């Protein structure tokens, strides 16, 4: 019951927060958010282990106002390719690749790269990897899609939240540090959209396997 009550309380935080999300270190495994990562394989909503190179939709654990799926959008007219990672009504598939080239599974608390599995034009086909970029206007650090950059694009982790269900959060751990940061959702006034960003409020998600690739 304690875990269920905690998850219900935390789900209220999944709504957008317009406050600044300047990089702040987190401590995994605190009383505020019990982390149950053991290095086991990450599983999808059906209980099957995530496969490196497989395509999955990332979706919120909540419904209604707090719902949303992860999608690649072209909201910034100053960029030549879609680069805004937003929370939307439907998802674009994402592929997870372990940073360890010898890894044969997507494991909890291991370094990963996230790449959108979308069909786009030739100029943008290499600009599909997740990264984190600071926005000087808002003061926030947004998740954006761009070219793969070693020791930056592969610094994401999936952590399991203590629960009877396979509920996860995503963290970002900059290279050269032992600190990790919650990836949450923040509203960006400049593009009038809710974007993935470094946040005090983690985005709790499920993974749903899909065989489809979106078109951009």
């Amino acid at each position: 019951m304690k875990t269920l009550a905690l998850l219900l309380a935390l789900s209220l935080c999944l709504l957008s927060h317009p406050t600044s999300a300047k990089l702040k270190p987190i401590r995994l495994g605190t009383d505020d958010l019990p982390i149950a990562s053991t290095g086991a394989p990450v599983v999808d909503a059906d209980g099957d282990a995530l496969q490196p190179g497989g395509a999955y939709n990332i979706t919120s654990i909540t419904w209604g106002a707090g719902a949303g799926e992860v999608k690649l959008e072209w909201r910034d007219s100053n960029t030549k390719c879609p680069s805004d990672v937003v929370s939307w009504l439907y998802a674009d598939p994402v592929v997870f690749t372990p940073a360890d080239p010898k890894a044969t599974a997507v494991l909890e608390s291991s370094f990963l790269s996230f790449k959108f599995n979308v069909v786009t034009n030739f100029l943008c086909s290499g600009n599909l990897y997740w990264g984190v970029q600071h926005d000087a206007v808002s003061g926030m650090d947004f998740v954006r899609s761009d070219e793969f950059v070693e020791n930056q694009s592969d610094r994401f982790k999936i952590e399991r939240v203590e629960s009877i269900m396979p509920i996860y959060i995503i963290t970002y751990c900059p290279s050269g540090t032992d600190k990790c940061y919650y990836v949450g959702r923040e509203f960006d006034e400049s593009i009038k959209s809710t974007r993935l960003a470094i946040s005090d409020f983690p985005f709790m998600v499920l993974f749903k396997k899909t065989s489809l690739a979106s078109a951009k």
Side-chain angles (χ1 to χ4, degrees):
M1 289 299 294
K2 180 179 178 182
T3 298
L4 179 59
L6 174 64
L7 290 174
L8 289 174
L10 284 172
S11 68
L12 297 177
C13 295
L14 294 176
L15 297 172
S16 302
H17 295 272
T19 56
S20 172
K22 190 89 173 157
L23 281 174
K24 299 174 184 176
I26 61 172
R27 294 180 180 178
L28 298 179
T30 66
D31 291 336
D32 294 329
L33 186 62
I35 299 297
S37 295
T38 62
V42 177
V43 299
D44 62 21
D46 294 323
D48 298 322
L50 266 61
Q51 299 298 313
Y56 298 86
N57 292 337
I58 303 176
T59 182
S60 168
I61 67 167
T62 62
W63 294 267
E69 302 192 354
V70 176
K71 190 177 189 306
L72 177 63
E73 280 290 303
W74 198 343
R75 301 291 176 86
D76 186 350
S77 60
N78 295 319
T79 61
K80 66 178 182 179
C81 299
S83 61
D84 300 304
V85 183
V86 304
S87 177
W88 198 243
L89 299 177
Y90 55 93
D92 284 325
V94 175
V95 171
F96 309 104
T97 301
D100 180 358
K102 297 181 181 179
T104 58
V106 177
L107 303 179
E108 299 168 355
S109 202
S110 65
F111 287 117
L112 305 165
S113 65
F114 288 37
K115 180 185 179 183
F116 281 109
N117 186 39
V118 300
V119 178
T120 185
N121 63 62
F122 175 77
L123 292 176
C124 298
S125 60
N127 292 51
L128 301 174
Y129 291 91
W130 288 25
V132 173
Q133 295 181 14
H134 181 69
D135 180 71
V137 176
S138 66
M140 292 190 283
D141 296 275
F142 291 118
V143 176
R144 293 180 65 90
S145 175
D146 208 334
E147 296 179 345
F148 180 86
V149 179
E150 190 173 359
N151 292 325
Q152 293 184 30
S153 305
D154 54 0
R155 303 300 293 183
F156 291 92
K157 291 183 178 182
I158 298 173
E159 303 282 0
R160 180 164 180 158
V161 177
E162 188 176 279
S163 169
I164 59 174
M165 298 172 59
I167 296 174
Y168 297 94
I169 63 171
I170 299 169
T171 62
Y172 177 69
C173 313
S175 179
T177 76
D178 58 357
K179 298 174 182 176
C180 295
Y181 306 87
Y182 292 139
V183 172
R185 296 183 292 180
E186 300 285 343
F187 187 75
D188 182 5
E189 287 283 355
S190 67
I191 62 171
K192 306 300 181 184
S193 296
T194 300
R195 301 171 62 175
L196 266 62
I198 301 304
S199 175
D200 292 330
F201 303 94
F203 182 25
M204 290 192 287
V205 300
L206 301 172
F207 303 102
K208 297 181 179 180
K209 186 171 179 58
T210 178
S211 59
L212 301 176
S214 301
K216 293 295 171 188

